[in-house]
Amino acid sequence: MSPTLRRTLLWTAITAVVFAGAYWIWRTRAQSAATSTMAADMPGMDMPGMPGMNMGSDSSVVLTADQIRTFSVTFGEAAVRTMSNVVRAAGTVVVDETGMVQVAARVGGFVEKLHVNVTGQSVRRGQPLLELYSPELLAAQQELLLAADLQRRILGSNVPGVPVETVDLVSAAKQRFNLWDISEEQVEEILRTGRTRRTMTLFAPASGVVTERSVVQGQAIQAGDMLYAIADFSRVWVEAQLRGVDAANVRVGTRAEIDITGLTGRSFSGRVEYVYPTVEQDARTVRARIVVANGAGTLKPGMYATVLLTSSAREALTVPASSVIRTGERNFLFIDLGGGRLRPQDVQIGVTSGDDTEILSGIEAGQRVVTSAQYLLNSESNLGEVMRSMIGMGGATQASGGAMEGMDMTGIATPKESGATRAPDSVPPRQRR
């Protein structure tokens, strides 16, 4: 064997021995730490100098004053407090449906001229919308003039058997124009001048903004055709999307504070006018309608909003919200029994408002609860349960005549005794001398 190969094999053996020694040192320390943790609940185990927490027989954790400071354990108190259910939800500004008006044709004809020809244009009640030429309207005007002339002749004659006071042919003719939505001023102008008009004017029935226009100049229209849609933006709706858990806390009359995205530093207020009885299939939310005054026109349909809904205040037993641990299957917290002893306690919770959570059952007013480091305490408590289960298994073995009288974890086999790693075995058999 060459000197180079001999040195290589020697360094390989030394490296293997070093790694094996390091592994067994780490394993010895790990087993010692586990043994120290078990010694608190398992009699017969000698683990002096244990630095961890002590476990009580009722899943409680016992801490010293130094451990409380080290783990930053803080406490709060269960007390009866005034709760205002505050629900935070996303919302959208939409058009107030009660302020929407459609202008439809009552009579057929042709659009001679459009006075309002742009979508988004603001109109006021009584403003001209379009000029309509209609053969039917023209014939009605001629009949109106004939009725007026005939009525004048009847009133000026003394025909026997005709009561003069009951003759009113003009009123019957004017009623037709009223049904066609022709203004009374235009009818009176026809009677005053005695001449027919080629076109009649249609006026806006309400003030607002034109949100839809379905007619152009020169278009032929029929009775029933929709011409314009007008929406009143002086009052809008904000529809808040409520989660199922929050919907029960929102009712008609609930006060709402609204912040609009893009309008920094401004907020709006309103009250819930209606809570929809159905659930949105896509978002699985319930809509709540809030009426908001919008005289200045600042709010525009389509804007996003953040809504804070505040219901009436009430008295309830509460704890700090940070003290409750929610696992999905149960809700519990740690209560202070005195002397550093902390015990987990199942509770039934209600609503959470701000920093407080309502407690329906499980604890009483005046009890101290842990508000920080709960998850560390919970892990120690669960470890104590596991140790007690192991103790129960050991007791059953002793009762049945088992040979296990106790546990001695102070001695750990050396690498040589266990035979796990031997330096000479690291050398291949063909290379040994």
Side-chain angles (χ1 to χ4, degrees):
M1 179 184 299
S2 64
T4 302
L5 179 60
R6 186 177 294 122
R7 285 196 300 270
T8 301
L9 294 178
L10 179 60
W11 280 111
T12 301
I14 293 173
T15 303
V17 172
V18 170
F19 276 106
Y23 168 76
W24 283 108
I25 291 174
W26 171 82
R27 180 176 176 182
T28 302
R29 291 181 178 179
Q31 290 183 348
S32 299
T35 304
S36 300
T37 304
M38 295 172 59
D41 287 328
M42 302 180 68
M45 297 178 64
D46 185 12
M47 303 178 196
M50 174 201 172
M53 303 179 186
N54 294 325
M55 302 299 169
S57 59
D58 55 352
S59 301
S60 61
V61 178
V62 181
L63 301 179
T64 64
D66 291 337
Q67 289 172 333
I68 292 176
R69 288 191 298 269
T70 301
F71 300 141
S72 299
V73 180
T74 58
F75 299 91
E77 185 177 356
V80 177
R81 300 180 178 91
T82 301
M83 291 194 67
S84 295
N85 294 332
V86 179
V87 176
R88 186 183 183 92
T92 308
V93 179
V94 298
V95 178
D96 182 356
E97 296 177 1
T98 61
M100 297 181 65
V101 177
Q102 282 191 349
V103 181
R106 304 282 182 93
V107 62
F110 300 88
V111 179
E112 289 279 318
K113 182 180 179 180
L114 284 178
H115 294 288
V116 177
N117 56 2
V118 178
T119 302
Q121 182 176 343
S122 297
V123 297
R124 65 183 184 278
R125 181 182 177 88
Q127 179 178 336
L129 295 177
L130 57 83
E131 302 290 337
L132 178 66
Y133 165 73
S134 172
E136 192 173 355
L137 283 174
L138 188 59
Q141 294 179 63
Q142 294 172 349
E143 293 176 2
L144 175 63
L145 294 176
L146 290 175
D149 183 62
L150 180 60
Q151 183 170 319
R152 283 194 301 270
R153 292 184 181 186
I154 293 175
L155 293 176
S157 65
N158 295 322
V159 180
V162 178
V164 177
E165 62 276 6
T166 61
V167 177
D168 194 358
L169 300 177
V170 175
S171 296
K174 291 170 65 175
Q175 183 65 24
R176 299 177 62 187
F177 289 94
N178 186 36
L179 296 176
W180 285 333
D181 213 14
I182 303 300
S183 65
E184 188 175 351
E185 288 79 6
Q186 296 181 83
V187 176
E188 294 296 336
E189 181 184 355
I190 295 171
L191 292 174
R192 185 176 64 256
T193 61
R195 295 193 302 269
T196 60
R197 298 179 51 175
R198 173 179 170 79
T199 62
M200 304 295 286
T201 305
L202 297 184
F203 297 93
S207 299
V209 176
V210 177
T211 58
E212 187 175 351
R213 180 179 61 87
S214 303
V215 63
V216 296
Q217 188 165 323
Q219 179 178 337
I221 60 175
Q222 296 180 353
D225 288 350
M226 199 275 285
L227 307 178
Y228 296 94
I230 301 174
D232 182 12
F233 289 164
S234 63
R235 196 178 78 154
V236 295
W237 291 348
V238 175
E239 290 191 344
Q241 304 290 334
L242 306 176
R243 300 178 302 166
V245 69
D246 296 329
N249 298 321
V250 178
R251 298 176 177 83
V252 174
T254 299
R255 183 167 53 88
E257 294 294 330
I258 303 166
D259 292 328
I260 303 297
T261 302
L263 299 180
T264 306
R266 298 194 58 182
S267 61
F268 301 84
S269 60
R271 291 190 178 274
V272 175
E273 184 184 65
Y274 184 69
V275 178
Y276 288 81
T278 57
V279 177
E280 297 293 323
Q281 293 298 321
D282 295 334
R284 306 305 299 170
T285 56
V286 178
R287 290 184 298 161
R289 179 199 306 163
I290 305 162
V291 179
V292 182
N294 187 36
T298 306
L299 301 179
K300 297 175 175 56
M303 285 182 166
Y304 291 109
T306 300
V307 184
L308 293 179
L309 300 163
T310 305
S311 61
S312 57
R314 59 188 178 87
E315 299 293 325
L317 176 63
T318 65
V319 296
S322 60
S323 65
V324 181
I325 301 177
R326 298 172 173 87
T327 65
E329 297 180 354
R330 58 190 285 244
N331 301 307
F332 67 96
L333 45 75
F334 280 88
I335 59 176
D336 183 13
L337 302 179
R341 186 180 173 195
L342 310 174
R343 187 189 68 193
Q345 176 65 45
D346 287 339
V347 293
Q348 183 179 359
I349 64 174
V351 299
T352 298
S353 176
D355 296 331
D356 298 324
T357 296
E358 181 183 9
I359 300 297
L360 303 179
S361 63
I363 62 174
E364 299 178 352
Q367 289 184 299
R368 291 218 312 168
V369 296
V370 177
T371 58
S372 65
Q374 303 97 314
Y375 290 97
L376 174 62
L377 300 177
N378 184 36
S379 62
E380 294 291 338
S381 177
N382 292 338
L383 179 60
E385 290 291 342
V386 173
M387 294 299 102
R388 275 184 289 274
S389 299
M390 295 178 63
I391 293 173
M393 295 174 60
T397 303
Q398 293 176 3
S400 60
M404 183 179 182
E405 298 294 336
M407 297 180 64
D408 185 7
M409 303 177 67
T410 57
I412 303 297
T414 61
K416 183 176 180 180
E417 294 170 346
S418 61
T421 305
R422 290 190 294 270
D425 291 342
S426 61
V427 181
R430 290 178 297 177
Q431 298 180 1
R432 294 176 184 170
R433 297 295 185 208

